[in-house]
Amino acid sequence: IPMTGAEYTTIKPLYREMSLTIPVGITIKSEVRPALLHVEQENLLPGTQGYLTCEVKNVGNATGSEVVFTVVPSDNVTFQLVEGSTYIGRFEPGMTAPVRVRIAVKDHTAAGSYPAVLQGSYRESDGSTRSTPSVPVGITVAKGAEFRVDSPDIVISPGGTAVIDVSYTNTGDSPAADAEARVIGSHLIVPAKDTAALGFLGPGETRTAQFEISAKSAIPGKQYPLDTEVKYRDGLGALML
């Protein structure tokens, strides 16, 4: 608050601008920095094993030697690494390299995308070991082959046999190769012919199989259930049921 009156004197401070250069040393550390160009999933299905393949580019400004990349899932219970790392070797700036890991997926895992990261390690020119920045990568699990079964009700005369037609439709998102259907009876309803080859069923495809059923020990007027199952091979040739 300025003072006024004859007994007071106002003093205005004077400022003079000056420029002063202060040297600051900044060191930029070169590094190998991975970037994902492409990610492909193969046969990642519940209850079996599949592959996750990435194309990785070094967008950093350093050359690394003895480079190894690993995919690390956030959930290591649902996903187990069977072959979890890929050795690249020398990785120069601008270079690209494939990374392929084999992953086992827990049975009954819901279809969807699950988080994981791509991590790498490499050796610098001075012999020290460094880690690359982590890069997010998703593990996408498909439903696999699933089957809908359609069959009309069957009437068999006591002590007789009948041929039944059963249709199997692949309602999943993955093909089933070398598929074979089987019906399971009981000591009263006995399948005389209990297996039938379905062959290759892609998603949405239907095959009809015939089975011969015997009712020699069945009680007239009573209903008896029949169970059925399908076994097939997945995209890597593993037998699925």
Side-chain angles (χ1 to χ4, degrees):
I1 300 175
M3 299 290 192
T4 58
E7 68 274 20
Y8 297 104
T9 301
T10 301
I11 301 175
K12 295 182 178 180
L14 298 178
Y15 296 94
R16 184 173 61 182
E17 294 185 358
M18 295 183 62
S19 296
L20 180 63
T21 301
I22 302 175
V24 178
I26 300 176
T27 301
I28 299 176
K29 186 72 172 179
S30 60
E31 66 176 356
V32 173
R33 180 177 291 273
L36 291 177
L37 302 181
H38 179 70
V39 179
E40 184 176 308
Q41 324 273 341
E42 179 185 355
N43 205 65
L44 287 174
L45 309 173
T48 186
Q49 299 179 9
Y51 287 96
L52 187 147
T53 303
C54 311
E55 185 180 3
V56 182
K57 182 177 182 179
N58 183 4
V59 296
N61 50 10
T63 296
S65 60
E66 302 179 26
V67 177
V68 177
F69 283 110
T70 303
V71 173
V72 181
S74 297
D75 183 351
N76 58 9
V77 175
T78 301
F79 303 100
Q80 296 288 327
L81 297 179
V82 181
E83 299 168 4
S85 61
T86 298
Y87 180 80
I88 302 299
R90 185 177 176 84
F91 203 31
E92 300 177 359
M95 283 184 59
T96 61
V99 174
R100 183 176 171 87
V101 296
R102 185 165 184 154
I103 303 172
V105 184
K106 188 178 180 180
D107 201 9
H108 306 301
T109 298
S113 183
Y114 296 82
V117 293
L118 178 74
Q119 296 178 345
S121 64
Y122 63 97
R123 193 173 297 279
E124 292 192 302
S125 58
D126 61 1
S128 61
T129 300
R130 290 191 64 190
S131 298
T132 66
S134 297
V135 180
V137 56
I139 299 176
T140 302
V141 177
K143 290 196 304 182
E146 298 179 349
F147 296 95
R148 186 186 72 238
V149 180
D150 298 299
S151 176
D153 292 336
I154 311 154
V155 177
I156 306 177
S157 300
T161 61
V163 175
I164 62 173
D165 292 326
V166 182
S167 296
Y168 298 86
T169 301
N170 183 358
T171 60
D173 55 10
S174 304
D178 300 330
E180 182 180 86
R182 176 173 174 254
V183 291
I184 305 167
S186 65
H187 65 286
L188 298 176
I189 299 294
V190 181
K193 178 192 174 187
D194 64 351
T195 59
L198 302 178
F200 182 91
L201 273 82
E205 293 185 343
T206 300
R207 297 284 187 277
T208 300
Q210 285 192 335
F211 304 97
E212 185 177 350
I213 306 299
S214 171
K216 292 181 180 180
S217 302
I219 300 173
K222 189 173 182 179
Q223 290 188 339
Y224 295 92
L226 277 176
D227 292 330
T228 185
E229 63 184 17
V230 179
K231 65 179 181 180
Y232 62 95
R233 295 194 179 275
D234 66 11
L236 297 181
L239 186 62
M240 306 289 290
L241 183 61

